[in-house]
Amino acid sequence: MIELREITVEVRGQPLIKDVSLDIQTPSFHCLIGPTGCGKTTLLETIVGLRKVKKGKILLDGKDITHLPTYLRGFAYVPQDAALFPHLTVEENIMYGIRHGSVSDKQSRYKVAMEIVEILGISHLLKRKAVNLSGGERQRVALARALAPGYKYILLDEPLSALHKGMKKELWFLLKDLQKRYNLTFLMVSHDLEEAFFLADTISVMIDGRIHQTGTKESIYSKPKTEEVARFLGIKNIFSAQITKVDSNRVSVYCPELSQTFTLPCEKSLLNNTFVKIGIHPESVKVEKDTVQENGKKLSGKVERIFEKASSYLVVFRPYNSRVTMEVEIPSMEYKELGIGEGSHVSLVLKESSIFLLDGSQ
């Protein structure tokens, strides 16, 4: 297990990583996501040993490795640019860690390395110089080189960011296969939400040098803990609300911007709040054609804008007599069946199970 204990890292005299604590189980696939410049790469470099810790500890399987040199820490590391040796062949790059490292059973590791080469589909590239590889080939070779010496902890810094979507998806499946086949622990930095949710068992969201939330991908998306996390996940339907009634771990909240009251489960930390915020997932709202304003849980209004996406439509909706708008995501087939357009009068059916609470004091 990788354990980070209140890690603080300074860059040019300023704290970029601030009191980060995190546990990564073995074996597993953990993704660290967050906006550009939030400190993801710096944290990965710190774990590997390329940056010094100002405060805190790094433990690997219970052993304090905070001040060990990089080559003794027990990690394989794939930086964003792959960092292959351009003057060496693919085979020489892959075998470098076996031939020049401290691997005890080199013959056995060579056999496993060739197995990995086969899985990654790069056997035909072994004699080619690394300088002559395409982007996708470089990333496959970098992965093979990282896995060849037999490390069980693999740290990846946005290794697929420069690849087109088709190539990315192909490598997603390969990464999942490698992780399960060899019982590996991956810690991967990514800014691609689809990539993170496809690959990860658990996810940490990092914003401004701090971990805001860690959990399963399902819990992260369905119940963001902070408004910053919700907005990073692309959820823009966030509205102010007031708690009007508390009953055990459920609360009734009134949202003046939507003129609606909802009864929702509530975290204990929010039970004493008066003012909160509610978030609504855009893809979980049901749209119905409507020409007459209705009351109750249906929210009636008008379609202002429509944007076509790859497999869905993003509809911007404004409730009657309201200054706010909502985003609704509708699958393409359902959208075509609805037959709506800009200016259409519709009703939204808001499912309370798709609404989450946030601290309104932030």
Side-chain angles (χ1 to χ4, degrees), residues 205 207-208 212 226-233 238 358 362:
V205 183
I207 300 171
D208 294 332
H212 279 233
T226 67
E227 184 174 345
E228 290 90 345
V229 171
R231 292 198 182 278
F232 173 73
L233 295 174
I238 298 175
L358 298 165
Q362 298 176 13

Side-chain angles (χ1 to χ4, degrees), residues 79-281:
Q80 190 170 346
D81 61 0
L84 300 177
F85 300 115
H87 62 290
L88 299 182
T89 66
V90 166
E91 184 175 14
E92 289 168 337
N93 266 282
I94 293 170
M95 299 306 159
Y96 187 87
I98 297 176
R99 291 173 179 166
H100 301 280
S102 57
V103 179
S104 56
D105 189 356
K106 296 186 179 183
Q107 187 174 358
S108 175
R109 286 313 309 170
Y110 183 87
K111 183 179 178 180
V112 173
M114 288 299 101
E115 183 180 288
I116 293 167
V117 163
E118 193 69 32
I119 292 169
L120 290 169
I122 54 175
S123 302
H124 63 294
L125 301 175
L126 289 176
K127 302 305 178 185
R128 187 181 298 182
K129 293 284 187 181
V131 72
N132 296 321
L133 299 176
S134 68
E137 290 168 344
R138 287 173 60 82
Q139 294 302 340
R140 289 170 187 252
V141 173
L143 283 170
R145 184 178 67 177
L147 295 168
Y151 293 114
K152 292 297 183 181
Y153 293 92
I154 317 296
L155 276 55
L156 309 174
D157 186 9
E158 301 200 49
L160 314 179
S161 61
L163 306 180
H164 62 77
K165 195 161 187 176
M167 178 62 69
K168 274 189 180 185
K169 286 192 172 182
E170 187 177 335
L171 288 175
W172 292 352
F173 283 102
L174 284 172
L175 284 170
K176 293 291 281 185
D177 181 48
L178 289 167
Q179 193 265 326
K180 291 181 179 178
R181 184 184 294 253
Y182 297 108
N183 288 319
L184 302 174
T185 299
F186 279 104
L187 172 56
M188 177 173 168
V189 163
S190 180
H191 66 271
D192 185 328
L193 291 178
E194 185 182 7
E195 177 174 270
F197 278 78
F198 182 96
L199 290 170
D201 302 307
T202 52
I203 288 175
S204 291
V205 183
M206 191 173 194
I207 300 171
D208 294 332
R210 299 183 187 277
I211 300 292
H212 279 233
Q213 188 171 353
T214 295
T216 64
K217 47 194 174 186
E218 294 84 3
S219 66
I220 293 285
Y221 188 74
S222 63
K223 302 291 182 184
K225 285 189 175 179
T226 67
E227 184 174 345
E228 290 90 345
V229 171
R231 292 198 182 278
F232 173 73
L233 295 174
I235 302 168
K236 295 183 179 179
N237 298 329
I238 298 175
F239 308 103
S240 298
Q242 183 175 1
I243 294 178
T244 57
K245 183 181 178 182
V246 177
D247 181 13
S248 185
N249 289 332
R250 294 182 68 82
V251 294
S252 294
V253 297
Y254 175 70
C255 177
E257 293 170 308
L258 301 179
S259 301
Q260 292 283 333
T261 296
F262 304 100
T263 301
L264 307 169
C266 183
E267 297 285 339
K268 289 183 179 180
S269 59
L270 296 179
L271 286 175
N272 294 325
N273 289 22
T274 300
F275 297 100
V276 292
K277 290 185 179 180
I278 63 169
I280 303 172
H281 292 286

Side-chain angles (χ1 to χ4, degrees), residues 51-65:
R51 291 185 182 270
K52 291 183 178 180
V53 171
K54 179 70 175 178
K55 187 188 78 171
K57 288 184 178 182
I58 303 170
L59 305 175
L60 184 65
D61 295 332
K63 179 184 176 182
D64 189 343
I65 63 168

